[in-house]
């Protein structure tokens, strides 16, 4: 199990590498809409801007701990070791995908890597994760469950019911509320339910008499420290913690939208044209978590410019290969359509 002390050099490099890989993957999902129209059917929900939060949190998990995020889920299995080509193939609806092409972007699963799957229903993954935590407690597996969900999900009934039970039974679970500033197309400041007196969403933990903390989700080490402490608390049998990780989502809610012909304009199209907040987007890009972490690693002599270039080029090549692997994968056979229906 990882501790929440200052991470060693190798782990810092691992964290940066995973952040770059996640960003590269999300960028190529976006570009699929431009370069290969029609290949992705329906929405994809991207998490560029969340890389520090994802990697900081996952750097604390034990080898057997389960990771259960919302449907904005591509980054987690990448950091857990799922081959990006199989993830991309799933998003493309291809036979070589992690769910044989039947799950798609919103239903990724890789149970062998302790990633049991996601739900397309807002907040339902919280209930699933809480059930997994109860199982871990009853079976005494020693596992901690990592539950990730958005700020909008914190207003659903499943959120309140799950935290109530987890607090009552002291379940081994860490709830990470990913506040990316937008609930679909509504900015958090415009939502009366979340904007009262500017309170942090972690304050909701008080209703269940459990710890609640807000952390800078653009700082992977800050996230690592808070989530690491929460995981240790859960492992000691002291119950759940609610952590609000704040960052800015650099993409629109979903990507089934009309895109401009120039791929490099995709970011601005989403944030500016869809949300209409150029100053906000520009400020978020200036605070890009990957650029900030890169500068920190160079400043502290963890990595050189040349080594960082090597990491980034390797990630680019890996994700380009993932696209080609997915495009080459066949579509599922029509007669398999009902093979995986359970009810």
């Amino acid at each position: 199990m990882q501790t929440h002390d200052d991470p060693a050099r190798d782990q810092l490099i691992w964290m940066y590498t995973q952040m770059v890989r996640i960003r590269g993957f999300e960028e190529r999902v976006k570009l699929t809409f431009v370069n290969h129209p029609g290949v992705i059917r329906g929405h994809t929900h991207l998490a560029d801007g969340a890389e520090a939060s994802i990697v900081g949190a996952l750097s604390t998990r034990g080898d057997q701990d389960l990771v259960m995020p919302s449907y904005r889920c591509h980054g987690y299995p990448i950091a857990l070791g799922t081959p990006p080509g199989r993830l991309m193939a799933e998003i493309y609806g291809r036979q070589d995908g992690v769910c044989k092409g039947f799950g798609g972007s919103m239903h990724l699963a890789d149970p062998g890597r302790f990633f049991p799957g996601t739900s397309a229903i807002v907040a339902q993954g919280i209930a699933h994760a809480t059930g997994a935590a109860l199982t871990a407690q009853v079976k005494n597996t020693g596992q901690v469950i990592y539950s990730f969900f958005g700020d909008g999900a914190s207003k659903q009934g499943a959120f309140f019911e799950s935290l109530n039970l987890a607090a009552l039974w002291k379940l081994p679970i860490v709830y990470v509320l990913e506040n990316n500033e937008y609930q679909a197309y509504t900015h958090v400041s415009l939502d009366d339910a979340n904007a009262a007196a500017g309170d942090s969403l972690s304050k909701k933990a008080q209703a269940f008499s459990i710890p609640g903390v807000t952390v800078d989700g653009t700082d992977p080490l800050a996230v690592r420290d808070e989530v690491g402490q929460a995981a240790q608390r859960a492992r000691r049998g002291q119950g759940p913690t609610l952590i609000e990780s704040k960052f800015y989502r650099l993409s629109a809610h979903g990507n089934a939208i009309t895109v401009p012909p120039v791929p490099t304009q995709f970011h601005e199209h989403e944030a500016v044209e869809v949300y209409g907040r150029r100053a906000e987007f520009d400020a978020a890009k200036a605070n890009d978590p990957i650029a900030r972490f890169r500068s920190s690693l160079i400043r502290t002599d963890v990595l050189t410019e040349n080594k960082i270039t090597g990491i980034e080029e390797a990630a680019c090549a890996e994700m380009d290969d993932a696209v080609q692997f997915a495009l080459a994968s066949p579509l599922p056979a029509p007669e398999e359509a009902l093979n995986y229906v359970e009810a």
Side-chain angles (χ1 to χ4, degrees):
M1 182 186 74
Q2 306 282 3
T3 69
H4 68 279
D5 298 325
D6 290 340
R9 180 177 180 276
D10 287 348
Q11 190 180 51
L12 290 171
I13 296 172
W14 177 86
M15 293 170 76
Y16 182 73
T17 301
Q18 302 316 309
M19 289 171 65
V20 171
R21 293 177 70 234
I22 293 169
R23 177 68 62 87
F25 186 90
E26 300 287 57
E27 288 290 346
R28 280 152 186 80
V29 174
K30 290 183 182 187
L31 291 178
T32 299
F33 286 93
V34 178
N35 297 332
H36 307 285
V39 167
I40 297 177
R41 288 160 288 179
H43 281 276
T44 61
H45 298 83
L46 305 181
D48 39 347
E51 297 88 357
S53 183
I54 294 170
V55 172
L58 295 188
S59 70
T60 71
R61 65 178 288 274
D63 291 340
Q64 305 295 309
D65 294 341
L66 297 182
V67 176
M68 302 181 69
S70 71
Y71 52 73
R72 201 174 297 279
C73 56
H74 306 159
Y76 305 89
I78 290 173
L80 292 172
T82 302
R86 295 198 63 208
L87 292 173
M88 195 70 76
E90 187 60 40
I91 293 169
Y92 289 5
R94 302 304 177 95
Q95 200 172 76
D96 292 313
V98 288
C99 301
K100 302 183 185 298
F102 290 101
S105 172
M106 299 174 74
H107 297 97
L108 298 180
D110 192 353
R113 291 181 172 83
F114 302 94
F115 185 76
T118 63
S119 172
I121 302 173
V122 174
Q124 289 307 301
I126 307 173
H128 299 163
T130 303
L134 176 60
T135 299
Q137 184 187 73
V138 170
K139 292 187 174 182
N140 196 29
T141 65
Q143 292 170 299
V144 169
I145 313 304
Y146 286 64
S147 173
F148 299 86
F149 50 92
D151 43 300
S154 70
K155 295 182 296 181
Q156 298 292 323
F159 169 83
F160 297 99
E161 294 163 1
S162 296
L163 268 68
N164 183 58
L165 289 177
L168 179 66
W169 295 335
K170 296 189 183 301
L171 298 184
I173 186 167
V174 179
Y175 295 107
V176 182
L177 191 168
E178 298 175 316
N179 183 353
N180 59 29
E181 297 195 26
Y182 279 94
Q183 300 164 38
Y185 300 98
T186 302
H187 191 269
V188 66
S189 66
L190 302 177
D191 185 342
D192 292 340
N194 282 343
D199 287 340
S200 296
L201 298 184
S202 59
K203 186 177 181 179
K204 295 186 178 188
Q206 295 178 18
F208 311 100
S209 300
I210 64 174
V213 63
T214 297
V215 65
D216 178 2
T218 67
D219 182 346
L221 300 185
V223 175
R224 184 184 191 277
D225 185 62
E226 294 295 350
V227 175
Q229 293 182 60
Q232 288 190 18
R233 184 175 181 273
R235 218 175 294 279
R236 291 193 299 263
Q238 295 176 304
T241 301
L242 175 63
I243 297 172
E244 177 193 17
S245 179
K246 298 184 70 173
F247 52 86
Y248 186 89
R249 173 156 48 82
L250 294 169
S251 292
H253 174 64
N255 284 94
I257 58 178
T258 303
V259 298
V262 182
T264 55
Q265 295 176 355
F266 204 18
H267 266 318
E268 291 194 1
H269 173 82
E270 293 182 294
V272 177
E273 299 302 324
V274 174
Y275 295 131
R277 292 170 172 252
R278 174 171 289 279
E280 174 187 278
F281 176 78
D282 289 343
K285 282 298 291 180
N287 195 44
D288 189 307
I290 292 180
R292 282 180 56 195
F293 197 39
R294 179 195 299 120
S295 296
S296 173
L297 295 179
I298 292 173
R299 186 174 62 253
T300 55
D301 295 324
V302 173
L303 284 170
T304 64
E305 290 275 9
N306 286 341
K307 288 183 178 179
I308 280 179
T309 298
I311 289 171
E312 293 172 347
E313 289 178 348
C316 284
E318 180 186 24
M319 299 311 161
D320 286 341
D321 288 346
V323 170
Q324 295 309 311
F325 175 87
L327 289 172
S329 178
L331 292 167
E335 57 268 23
E336 294 180 21
L338 300 181
N339 287 1
Y340 311 104
V341 178
E342 300 296 333

